[in-house]
Amino acid sequence: MDKEDKRRYFIVGSVYLEVVTPLFQQKLEEKYQGLNFGCLKDFLANKAAIHILFHLRHRNARCCTDKANCTNHGALPLNHHQWKQLYAENPGPGKHNCFCKYTAKSVKPEHLDVSLCGLILFNCCNLGQLDQEAVHILRRNKNDYLSHNTTCGITKDEYDSLIGELKTNILQLDQTKEDELIRIQNRPLDDALCNKYMTTLLNIHEVLEKIDTTTTNILSTVNTNNTQLQQILQHLTSQSLKDKTGKQGNHKHPIKPYTLGQSIFTLHHQTDLKSAVVGGHWRGGVSGIVMMDDGRLVMGLPYQDRLLICKTDESQVDIIYVLGSPWCVTAVSNSTVAVTLWRRDCIEMFDINNKLKVNSISVPGMRCFGITSINNKLVVGGECRILVIDHQTGEVVQIIQTNFSPNRLHGSGDRIFYCDNNNNKLYWYSYTDDAHHIITLPSTPRRMTTLQDGSLYLLCRDGSIQHLSSDSEQYKQVNTIAISPSDVNIHYNLAQRKLVIRQTAGLVKVFNEKFN
C-alpha cells in the first residue's frame, strides 16, 4: 500500500472521529433536549423512538400497539450489537416480538459511535431537509470508505471526490468547523494513531455476528500484512465465541476436556519483580495481578499507590500512579484494566497504553476484596450481595443476594464464583438456573482462574491447587506444580496460553501450557 494512500485514509478517519462524531453527538443532544427529554435514555424510551428503532432491527414483526406505524424494512441498518447497546430485553412473560419487550439503557451520546448516532439522528429526530441530507451522506461515506476498509488506504481519485463532499456536509451542520478541517487536512501521517483509528472505524461487530465455530473464514478476509488488525480480530472473535458458548476455548480445534489433576503446564521461568520497581523498593508486595493478552503483567502495589506494568522478563516497565491503594485488578479489554481501591467505594479504570485514567465508577456499599467480569460487565462484592455493573454507564444493573459478604470473585461462563475466608466451601451463582451452589474443598479457596476447557484451578490456603471440573461437581489436587502457602495469586491467560502464579514477596512463576 502506498504511504500517501494511508495518509489520505488517516485524514478521512481523523475527520470522522475528531469532527463528525462529536458533531453528531452534539446534534443528538440538542434534539432530545429540545423535546424536553432530560437524558438520552428518556428519549430512547419514548414510544416513537423505540418503535422506529425496533423495526430498523427486527424484520416481519407486528407490534401489539401502534400497529398502524409498523414498518418492514428490507435491510436492517441497526445491527445486533447496536441494538443491545441501546435496549435490554424485559424478563416478562410476553412471547410476541414487539417493542414493548424492551427497555432503554442508560447510555449517553458520547457512548455512541458515529454510525449509531447518525442513524438515530436521521430516523428519530426532526431535521431540516438539508441537515437530513448531510447526515445521510456523512453516514453513507463512512460506510463506503471506512467501515469495511481493511487495507487502511484511500486512493487519490477516491480522496479528491470524497473530501469536498465531507467538507460541504459538515459545514451544513456547523459552519464553525472549517478551521478544524483545514488543520486536519494539513497534518502529517501518524502511523500509531492511524492504526488506532482504523480499529475504531471498522465495523468489527457486524462481522462477528456472522461467525460460526471457526475463525478461519473471518481471518482469511483480512489483509495478512496488517498484523495489528489480525490480532484485534482474533481477540474479538475469541471474545464473541466465549460470549456465545459461555466457555473459553480455541474453537479452531475442538477442545478436549482435561483430566482432573493431569499435567497441563510446565514451568517456563520465574522472576523476582523487586528489581522492576524503581530502586527495588517493594514495601508490602502486590495485592492483585492480571496478565493481558499481549503478555504484559499488571499489578496493584497498594502501599505505593501505583500500578506496575511490565513483561514477565521485567522489560518495558511502566508505572501508573493511583489516587488510593489499588487492591484487585481485572482486564476489561486488551488495553484497559479495572481496579478496586482499599477502603474506597469506587472502581477506577485505566488505559495501560496511554497510562491514563479513563473512568471512575462510584459503587456505594462495595467491598474491595475482589473484582471480576462476566458478560462484558464488572462484578464486585458488597454486604451480603454481589453487584453487577455496566462499566460504560457506571450503573448497577443487577444485585445478587448472598448469605455472607463474598470474597475473591471470579466470573466464568454463566457463573460467578466466590468464597468465604472462614470455611472450605466454594460458592457460585449460576445464571442458568438463577440459583446458588456449593462444593466443599480440602482447604479454604483463595484465588481461582478458568482454563481453556472451562475447568478451574483453585489456589487454596494450604498451598494446594485443586482442579475443579467444568460442571463444578468434581475436583482433584494438582501435584504437578510445586507451590507453597506463600503463593497468593493465580491467573491463566487464554491468548498467551500461560499460567501465572505469584508469591507474597513478588516472585512470579510463569508456566507454559502443553498442547491440548
Side-chain angles (χ1 to χ4, degrees), residues 236-253:
L236 287 173
T237 303
S238 171
Q239 182 60 49
S240 176
L241 289 170
K242 284 192 283 181
D243 292 342
K244 290 183 179 184
T245 63
K247 294 182 180 179
Q248 294 179 329
N250 177 358
H251 291 259
K252 189 174 181 181
H253 303 288

Side-chain angles (χ1 to χ4, degrees), residues 357-376:
K357 183 166 72 172
V358 294
N359 200 5
S360 182
I361 303 170
S362 176
V363 189
M366 184 188 82
R367 295 165 62 91
C368 66
F369 294 136
I371 185 170
T372 187
S373 61
I374 189 169
N375 298 328
N376 294 318

Side-chain angles (χ1 to χ4, degrees), residues 275-295:
S275 59
V277 180
V278 177
H281 185 47
W282 197 250
R283 276 188 57 203
V286 177
S287 57
I289 187 170
V290 64
M291 175 178 277
M292 308 299 286
D293 283 353
D294 62 3

Side-chain angles (χ1 to χ4, degrees), residues 138 181 363:
L138 290 169
L181 292 172
V363 189

Side-chain angles (χ1 to χ4, degrees), residues 246-247 260 410-418 425-430 433 436-441 448-450 453-458 466-476:
K247 294 182 180 179
L260 293 183
H410 177 67
S412 177
D414 68 337
R415 296 165 295 174
I416 301 173
F417 291 87
Y418 56 101
K425 292 180 171 58
L426 177 70
Y427 305 80
W428 69 92
Y429 169 79
S430 171
D433 57 8
H436 294 264
H437 304 266
I438 305 173
I439 190 170
T440 302
L441 302 169
M448 54 211 103
T449 192
T450 303
D453 70 336
S455 61
L456 269 69
Y457 266 10
L458 310 171
Q466 302 296 331
H467 190 183
L468 183 70
S469 60
S470 58
D471 60 10
S472 305
E473 293 183 357
Q474 304 175 64
Y475 64 87
K476 187 173 182 179

